[in-house]
């Protein structure tokens, strides 16, 4: 295997024997094959679409296939085999759709090559062998490291965008133009030859479409659950039976809350679920009692200590310990061999497991942190914020957030946040906030110095806030007293980065390391166009941003 799609790639270059995330060779090969199969479906679906023929079921399957290959989603070879069999069926369906559309238009049907020609092997070993032929290593041999790296940038961004689009679709928000772009791009990526400009241009286009996708997800979440409001969240347990829900799927959380109502089971959020407490329609459930633990990478220790059942939604699962494997469950696209998978959001097995476990035997002293500072909440006091900036009561804004992870070097973000001057405000989002969100940063004239905007997909809120402030000051976003200091781990962070670059935002600092697929030559292009910067030390980066020392000294 060879995989370098996440920040924790072994030795900063790529995982070869096994994935740092926990996937083995077989899983990696099957995921590579599933991406290849999705390309084959898209080759036909894109051609049919240009003749006015569209199949929504196929569109949705392509999203699910891509999302399945995102880091920390599906580690189960048997479930991957099932998806590959479905992919073969959808490819034939798309082929027939295209051929029928051609016949109706009086045109000769093309016979696309490459992924469109794939036919599934008869058994799991055969599928694994097929997948070995479509690894990144083969791409590197064909295109060279620089071009294959830029191609991987586009692939990684596309996968991340699929996750957000699938979340929105799950709540009933779709856009045919978005589906069309996925299929056009998957078809584009089957080409044998590329230029640097073509691949970079495609990546920036992914960033552009991802802005629309994040808007769709924002619309989906706020329509379903209301606009987030500032809310204190308890971070200490209360006495009683308990279920812990992790991941990103707010619909799963809502259904779980409905099914546990009146059953004497308290529900706790974990990881990226913590912003749920700010949504009015979710916070109305009294048995949504708080948040337990921190970011995804500490789950094996935290889950072992949690005295109840655990539900993993979307991504972020790690290999379960034997001590809790019997009380952890997966839903949606998440899967781990030997872990019970919930079908059709029937959470009865999760509830039964929670009732069997002891739960918390006493209330711990209450401690809380604040969430819910999404765009409506922040822009509601925009006038006051603008006035404070003009009066120099607020000197600078820092967006410090993104993915968290286990790789050394992420304490940079803790130290950076702690060293931000007291006349500056920190915006944060995604699980990167767990590096410092339980610290007390105080406030400036009633405005909290730490504003938790939400999940990683709530980067849309951060963008809207930045654009609104730029309009208020009548300047370009790059001229605002705002600096972005981002952490990344997986594909969703990359597609957000591409959105920021599409918007022309410069001087972004990213870490703890640059993506392994960005070669020195490829990075030089991004440096020249956007001044994308790797983090250094908190002291030096803060000094350069605030102008207290000459840059580069």
């Amino acid at each position: 295997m060879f995989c370098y799609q996440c920040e924790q790639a072994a030795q900063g270059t790529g995982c070869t024997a096994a994935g740092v995330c926990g996937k083995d060779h077989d899983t990696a090969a099957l995921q590579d094959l599933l991406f290849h199969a999705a390309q084959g479906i898209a080759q036909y679906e894109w051609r049919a679409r240009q003749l006015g023929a569209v199949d929504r079921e196929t569109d949705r399957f392509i999203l699910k296939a891509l999302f399945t290959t995102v880091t920390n989603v599906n580690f189960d070879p048997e479930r991957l085999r099932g998806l590959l069999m479905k992919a073969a069926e959808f490819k034939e369906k798309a082929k027939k759709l295209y051929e029928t559309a051609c016949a109706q238009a009086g045109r000769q049907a093309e016979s696309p090559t490459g992924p469109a020609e794939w036919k599934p092997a008869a058994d799991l070993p055969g599928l694994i062998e097929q997948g070995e032929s479509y690894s990144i290593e083969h791409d590197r041999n064909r295109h060279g490291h620089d071009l294959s790296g830029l191609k991987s940038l586009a692939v990684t961004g596309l996968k991340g965008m699929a996750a957000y689009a699938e979340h929105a679709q799950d709540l009933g928000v779709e856009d045919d133009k978005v589906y069309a772009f996925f299929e056009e791009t998957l078809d584009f990526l089957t080409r044998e030859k590329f230029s640097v400009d073509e691949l970079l241009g495609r990546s920036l286009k992914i960033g552009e479409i991802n802005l629309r996708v994040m808007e769709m997800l924002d619309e989906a979440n706020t329509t379903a659950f209301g606009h987030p409001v500032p809310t204190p969240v308890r971070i200490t347990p209360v006495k009683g039976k308990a279920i812990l829900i992790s991941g990103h799927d707010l619909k799963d959380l809502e259904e779980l809350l409905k099914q546990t109502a009146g059953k004497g089971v308290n529900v706790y959020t974990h990881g990226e679920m913590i912003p749920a407490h700010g949504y009015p329609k979710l916070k109305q459930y009294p048995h949504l009692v708080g948040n337990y633990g921190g970011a995804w990478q500490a789950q094996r220790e935290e889950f072992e200590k949690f005295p109840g059942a655990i539900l993993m939604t979307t991504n972020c699962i790690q290999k379960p310990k034997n001590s809790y494997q019997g009380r952890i469950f997966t839903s949606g696209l998440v899967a781990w061999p030997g872990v019970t998978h919930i079908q059709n959001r029937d959470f009865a097995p999760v509830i039964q497991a929670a009732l069997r476990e002891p739960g918390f035997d006493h209330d711990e002293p209450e401690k809380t942190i604040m969430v819910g500072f999404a765009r409506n909440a922040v822009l509601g006091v925009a006038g006051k914020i603008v006035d404070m900036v003009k009066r120099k009561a607020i000197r600078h804004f820092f967006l410090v957030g993104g993915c968290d992870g286990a790789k050394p070097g992420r304490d940079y973000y803790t130290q950076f946040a702690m060293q931000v001057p007291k006349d500056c405000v920190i915006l944060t989002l995604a699980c990167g906030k767990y590096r410092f969100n339980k610290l007390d940063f105080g406030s400036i004239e009633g405005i909290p110095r730490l504003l938790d905007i939400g999940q990683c997909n709530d980067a849309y809120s951060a963008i809207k806030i930045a654009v609104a402030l730029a309009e208020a000051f009548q300047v370009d976003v790059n001229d605002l007293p705002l600096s972005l200091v981002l952490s990344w781990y997986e594909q969703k962070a990359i597609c957000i980065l591409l959105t920021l670059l599409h918007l022309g935002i410069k001087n972004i600092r990213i870490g703890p390391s640059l993506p392994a697929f960005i070669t020195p030559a490829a990075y030089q292009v991004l440096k020249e166009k956007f001044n994308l910067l790797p983090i250094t030390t908190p002291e030096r980066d803060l000094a350069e941003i605030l102008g207290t020392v000459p840059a580069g000294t």
Side-chain angles (χ1 to χ4, degrees):
M1 65 173 285
F2 182 86
C3 182
Y4 59 6
Q5 68 180 3
C6 87
E7 194 270 335
Q8 293 186 175
Q11 299 181 344
T13 57
C15 297
T16 53
V20 172
C21 66
K23 70 180 176 182
D24 58 17
H25 165 274
D26 292 354
T27 301
L30 293 169
Q31 288 184 358
D32 288 340
L33 184 59
L34 184 58
F35 182 82
H36 181 79
Q39 287 184 288
I41 300 168
Q43 284 179 282
Y44 285 116
E45 194 74 5
W46 171 237
R47 285 165 173 77
R49 182 180 288 277
Q50 293 177 81
L51 296 173
V54 175
D55 183 77
R56 185 63 76 234
E57 186 183 20
T58 303
D59 295 338
R60 292 169 181 161
F61 179 82
I62 289 172
L63 290 187
K64 292 183 185 298
L66 296 182
F67 190 3
T68 297
T69 67
V70 168
T71 305
N72 292 85
V73 176
N74 190 322
F75 295 82
D76 189 343
E78 278 300 325
R79 288 187 66 79
L80 288 166
R81 183 190 65 80
L83 284 167
L84 284 163
M85 293 301 102
K86 285 185 179 181
E89 294 172 6
F90 275 108
K91 184 171 70 69
E92 290 306 309
K93 184 179 182 182
K95 180 180 179 181
K96 290 179 181 178
L97 180 73
Y98 169 57
E99 290 174 345
T100 300
C102 284
Q104 292 174 347
R107 294 177 54 172
Q108 179 67 38
E110 296 178 39
S111 297
T113 58
E117 299 174 296
W118 170 73
K119 294 185 184 300
D123 55 18
L124 187 59
L127 290 169
I128 292 168
E129 185 177 355
Q130 284 184 329
E132 292 170 346
S133 300
Y134 304 115
S135 71
I136 296 168
E137 283 285 71
H138 287 77
D139 241 25
R140 291 167 68 164
N141 291 335
R142 183 163 62 249
H143 301 300
H145 286 206
D146 291 335
L147 287 176
S148 67
L150 284 172
K151 181 181 176 182
S152 289
L153 176 64
V155 169
T156 302
L158 199 68
K159 288 181 177 184
M161 186 167 71
Y164 292 140
E166 204 275 338
H167 288 325
Q169 180 270 315
D170 193 40
L171 289 169
V173 178
E174 301 174 272
D175 185 333
D176 191 65
K177 292 180 180 178
V178 169
Y179 287 126
F181 179 75
F182 272 103
E183 290 152 13
E184 177 193 6
T185 300
L186 287 168
D187 178 72
F188 166 81
L189 291 170
T190 65
R191 290 170 46 178
E192 286 296 321
K193 293 184 179 180
F194 303 97
S195 70
V196 168
D197 287 343
E198 285 174 329
L199 288 169
L200 183 58
R202 180 61 56 164
S203 290
L204 294 178
K205 187 68 176 179
I206 289 170
E208 177 186 348
I209 301 302
N210 185 58
L211 181 62
R212 168 59 185 146
V213 171
M214 289 194 296
E215 179 186 36
M216 290 162 54
L217 184 51
D218 179 87
E219 175 192 344
N221 285 337
T222 55
T223 299
F225 309 116
H227 283 276
V229 295
T231 303
V233 179
R234 182 173 180 134
I235 56 173
T236 49
V238 298
K239 183 178 180 179
K241 303 289 186 178
I243 293 174
L244 187 64
I245 180 169
S246 190
H248 306 74
D249 197 315
L250 297 180
K251 183 65 175 175
D252 273 3
L253 173 58
E254 182 186 42
E255 290 300 318
L256 179 65
L257 290 169
K258 289 178 180 178
Q259 293 176 37
T260 49
K263 289 186 169 61
V265 178
N266 293 323
V267 176
Y268 296 80
T269 57
H270 174 268
E272 285 273 58
M273 276 289 183
I274 191 172
H277 294 270
Y279 286 95
K281 290 187 180 179
L282 296 175
K283 62 186 291 186
Q284 70 183 358
Y285 291 92
H287 60 298
L288 179 61
V289 297
N291 187 77
Y292 176 91
W296 66 272
Q297 78 277 359
Q299 68 184 250
R300 300 186 80 224
E301 289 70 35
E302 293 174 348
F303 290 0
E304 187 171 45
K305 296 175 183 176
F306 185 77
I310 302 153
L311 175 63
M312 299 300 298
T313 73
T314 61
N315 56 318
C316 298
I317 192 171
Q318 289 183 300
K319 181 180 181 180
K321 289 185 177 181
N322 292 335
S323 57
Y324 62 83
Q325 182 151 351
R327 54 187 175 89
I328 188 171
F329 301 82
T330 57
S331 63
L333 299 175
V334 186
W336 193 283
V339 170
T340 300
H341 189 77
I342 299 299
Q343 302 288 350
N344 303 317
R345 292 195 167 101
D346 178 4
F347 297 120
V350 185
I351 298 168
Q352 291 163 8
L355 292 172
R356 288 194 300 268
E357 297 299 319
F360 292 102
D361 60 8
H362 68 283
D363 293 348
E364 291 190 14
E366 184 174 0
K367 295 180 182 178
T368 63
I369 57 176
M370 292 292 293
V371 301
F373 292 98
R375 58 188 173 89
N376 268 27
V378 175
L379 294 179
V381 293
K384 180 177 180 179
I385 291 173
V386 170
D387 175 67
M388 291 172 69
V389 172
K390 288 180 177 178
R391 291 189 288 107
K392 301 190 184 305
I394 296 177
R395 180 175 23 157
H396 205 84
F397 296 89
F398 292 91
L399 175 59
V400 185
C403 309
D404 203 1
K407 188 175 177 180
R410 290 180 183 268
D411 59 339
Y412 165 95
Y413 297 93
T414 309
Q415 297 303 316
F416 187 97
M418 292 174 64
Q419 293 177 42
V420 167
K422 294 187 183 300
D423 59 354
C424 300
V425 172
I426 302 169
L427 308 173
T428 191
L429 48 75
C431 61
K433 62 175 165 273
Y434 281 105
R435 289 282 165 174
F436 48 80
N437 69 335
K438 295 176 183 177
L439 302 176
D440 183 5
F441 289 93
S443 61
I444 306 174
E445 297 184 15
I447 301 294
R449 287 191 58 236
L450 180 66
L451 300 175
D452 185 349
I453 296 173
Q455 287 187 341
C456 53
N457 55 270
D458 290 313
Y460 180 75
S461 268
I463 290 169
K464 295 293 284 186
I465 291 168
V467 170
L469 289 175
E471 290 174 354
F473 285 107
Q474 298 183 325
V475 299
D476 183 83
V477 171
N478 288 309
D479 295 322
L480 283 172
L482 168 68
S483 299
L484 280 65
V485 184
L486 307 179
S487 54
W488 82 282
Y489 170 66
E490 43 93 291
Q491 295 84 331
K492 288 181 288 182
I494 293 298
C495 72
I496 291 172
L497 175 64
L498 293 177
T499 295
L500 296 172
L501 297 181
H502 153 72
L503 291 170
I505 297 177
K506 297 181 179 180
N507 307 315
I508 298 170
R509 284 172 165 81
I510 187 170
S513 61
L514 292 173
F517 46 80
I518 299 297
T519 63
Y523 170 66
Q524 193 58 37
V525 174
L526 297 175
K527 178 74 165 61
E528 291 172 0
K529 287 181 176 290
F530 305 104
N531 198 32
L532 183 67
L533 300 166
I535 60 171
T536 59
T537 66
E539 295 80 8
R540 175 175 174 175
D541 290 345
L542 270 168
E544 290 188 359
I545 290 168
L546 296 174
T548 54
V549 296
T553 61

